[in-house]
Structure formats: C-alpha cells, structure tokens
Amino acid sequence: MSIPIAYLGIILIWSTTPLAIQWSTQGASFALAVFARMLIGAVVAALIVIVWRIRFPLHGRARRAYLVGGLGLFVAMALTYWAARYVHSGLISVLFGLSPLAAGLLAALFLGERSLTRLKLLGMLLGAGGLATIFIHGDSLAHENALAGLIALVIAVFIYSGCLVWLKHIGDDSPPLATTVGTLTVSLPFFGLIWWFTDGQLPDMVPPRAGAAIVYLGVFGSVIGFALYYYVIKHLETAKIALITLITPVIALLLGHWLNDESIGLRLWLGTGLILFGLSVHQWESLAGLIQSSRQGRPAGMGGESD
C-alpha cells in the first residue's frame, strides 16, 4: 500500500469521525449508535482476521491488552457519544487533539518517564490555555448542556490517553487487527448493557443519514482507520505522525461549519489555535528534526513506497 494514501486516509477518517458520531445519534439513542458501531466493527475485524489468517494471541500480555483497551474504549466512547449530542462536532476533534499532551503527562506521573522537558511543559500549558478558552466559549454554544458535554469529553480524552500509556507499559506485540478484535470483543457487552439500561428499544426507523454514519464508523472508524494508523507508524517517524493531530482538528471544525451549520466564533478559533500551538511546541523536538532532514534533502518517507 502507498504510504501517502494511507496517511491521507487517516486524516480523512479522523477528520470526519466527529461529524459522523454526531449524525449517528440523530434518530437513534447515543447508546444504540455506539453499540451498533462497535458491533459492526467487531464483526468486520473478526472476518478480516479469519480470512487473512492473522494470528490471534491469547497469552497473558495479549489478554491484559484486550482488557485494558476494551474497558478504556468503552468509557471513552460512551462519554464521547453522550457529549456529541451537546457539543459541536469540530470540538470533539479539537479536544482529542490534546491526547498527546495528556499521554505525556500521565506517562511522567505513572510510568516515571523523564520526558517532560521545558518545551513539553510549555506545550502543555499552552494546551491548557486553549482548553480554558474553549470552556469560556462553552456558555455560548448551542445547547444548554454544552459545558457538561465539554467536561465529559475532557474526561474521555484522559481515559483514552491513560489507556494508551497503560498499553505501552504492557508492551503487547499482537497484530493490530487482532488487538482490534480483542478490544472490541471486551467492550461489546458493556456497550450492550448501557444501551439496555438507558434505552433498550430499537427505533421504528433509523434515518438514512444516521444509519449510514453508524456503518461508516463501524467499518472505517473502528477497523480501517485503526489498521491504516498502525501501518503508517511502522513506516514513518513520530514527527510526521504527530502532524496528523495538527491537521485533523482544523478540517473537522470546517466540516462541521460547512456540513452541519456549526458556528465558529473568535474564541473557539483562539482556543483551537492555542491547543494546536501547544501541540507544536510539545512535539517541537521531533518536528525540528523533520524540518532539518527535509532541508538536508534526506528521504522524507512520504513518497510512493508501497508493500
């Protein structure tokens, strides 16, 4: 597969996922929307594993990885889908852009990683400033529960980031699609339970846009996007991958504005800009190395390479 195509695929999927999440909850309960998405994702991923005969490890580290990933996915996605009813879709992408900052902080606190340089700390402070600006903006968002939605999203981001740190500590080397199947399988009963206890009913009719969004998220958001991401991280350095988190929030904001009539005020742009600037500062050492290698004419790793 061409690396540039895989890279662009990740950007497109991550940029459109927040809007698809919001559309999927229109006409169906948030619990049914996320349960249906994960069920589709689990079935598709399992079929790929079977057809391609991908090994599915069941040793101790793999089981721990499935459990941690599944529980983290359940809590983070349940909160995200609940919040999506009250928060602009673009803001979901912006707040999840904080994941590298949150993961760096949690790794330093719980794994003892000594990676918090002055630049990284400055990046975290700038990201926090952007987050505060968005919260100030929250009282002018369309829904009265927007602030509660923002809080739920921030909790989801830290849970998602914490799981990434924990999975790194576990160090499982299972194939990515096997990890996807294991993670989705662990999370499915919990998504089913939350749907049963909060709603438990199937709607008479799911609007076509909501149904299409659920299928899109199940296939692309839960399987293809995950596989493309792990393919890319095997072929590109960290700096190029970090650029994805700088690009997708802006695209997601614009898509929400163009396709969902979401207003983008000055404070929201300012908060987004601070978060992205903080991410740039946080990743500056890697980005500077990328810029230097480009100036020296070394291969950038984004050509037409394919497997």
Side-chain angles (χ1 to χ4, degrees):
M1 176 184 289
S2 168
I3 295 175
I5 291 177
Y7 192 88
L8 290 175
I10 295 171
I11 292 175
L12 289 175
I13 292 171
W14 287 10
S15 298
T16 53
T17 292
L19 185 58
I21 288 176
Q22 194 169 82
W23 284 354
S24 70
T25 62
Q26 296 173 0
S29 69
F30 82 94
L32 177 60
V34 67
F35 177 48
R37 168 190 174 175
M38 299 305 168
L39 179 59
I40 292 171
V43 171
V44 171
L47 287 175
I48 294 174
V49 167
I50 293 171
V51 172
W52 288 359
R53 297 182 179 180
I54 298 172
R55 65 185 180 91
F56 186 74
L58 288 173
H59 51 71
R61 279 191 303 173
R63 293 197 302 271
R64 288 196 297 273
Y66 302 156
L67 179 62
V68 170
L71 293 178
L73 176 69
F74 164 68
V75 178
M77 284 295 100
L79 289 171
T80 300
Y81 270 74
W82 180 86
R85 300 175 299 168
Y86 312 125
V87 176
H88 290 169
S89 63
L91 273 177
I92 298 175
S93 181
V94 171
L95 294 183
F96 268 89
L98 289 167
S99 297
L101 307 184
L105 178 61
L106 293 172
L109 291 176
F110 295 105
L111 298 185
E113 292 187 2
R114 298 181 179 180
S115 57
L116 291 184
T117 63
R118 291 181 180 179
L119 275 179
K120 291 187 181 297
L121 287 172
L122 176 59
M124 290 179 182
L125 289 175
L126 288 169
L131 182 61
T133 304
I134 288 175
F135 266 84
I136 293 172
H137 178 83
D139 59 2
S140 63
L141 294 177
H143 202 282
E144 62 181 2
N145 291 326
L147 285 175
L150 288 174
I151 293 172
L153 282 173
V154 172
I155 296 173
V157 168
F158 272 89
I159 290 174
Y160 169 77
S161 302
C163 285
L164 291 180
V165 172
W166 199 346
L167 289 172
K168 180 181 177 181
H169 179 66
I170 292 173
D172 180 40
D173 59 352
S174 300
L177 276 172
T179 302
T180 301
V181 173
T183 296
L184 290 173
T185 302
V186 168
S187 68
L188 265 179
F190 296 100
F191 285 119
L193 285 173
I194 197 173
W195 167 64
W196 181 261
F197 284 111
T198 60
D199 182 26
Q201 296 181 349
L202 295 172
D204 295 331
M205 183 189 72
V206 176
R209 188 171 72 172
I214 291 173
V215 174
Y216 171 79
L217 290 167
V219 176
F220 287 88
S222 298
V223 181
I224 295 179
F226 189 87
L228 289 178
Y229 177 71
Y230 274 92
Y231 175 78
V232 164
I233 63 176
K234 289 182 178 179
H235 293 83
L236 294 180
E237 56 265 35
T238 304
K240 291 192 179 79
I241 298 170
L243 289 175
I244 296 175
T245 59
L246 300 178
I247 298 171
T248 52
V250 176
I251 298 177
L253 279 174
L254 293 175
L255 288 176
H257 177 66
W258 292 333
L259 302 179
N260 214 38
D261 296 323
E262 297 173 357
S263 61
I264 307 176
L266 178 60
R267 282 186 293 180
L268 180 53
W269 275 122
L270 178 59
T272 300
L274 282 172
I275 288 176
L276 297 183
F277 184 46
L279 282 169
S280 300
V281 172
H282 186 268
Q283 301 288 341
W284 178 248
E285 293 175 357
S286 297
L287 293 173
L290 175 61
I291 295 172
Q292 183 178 3
S293 66
S294 299
R295 286 178 177 175
Q296 292 175 351
R298 288 202 292 248
M302 286 288 287
E305 179 182 346
S306 61
D307 283 353

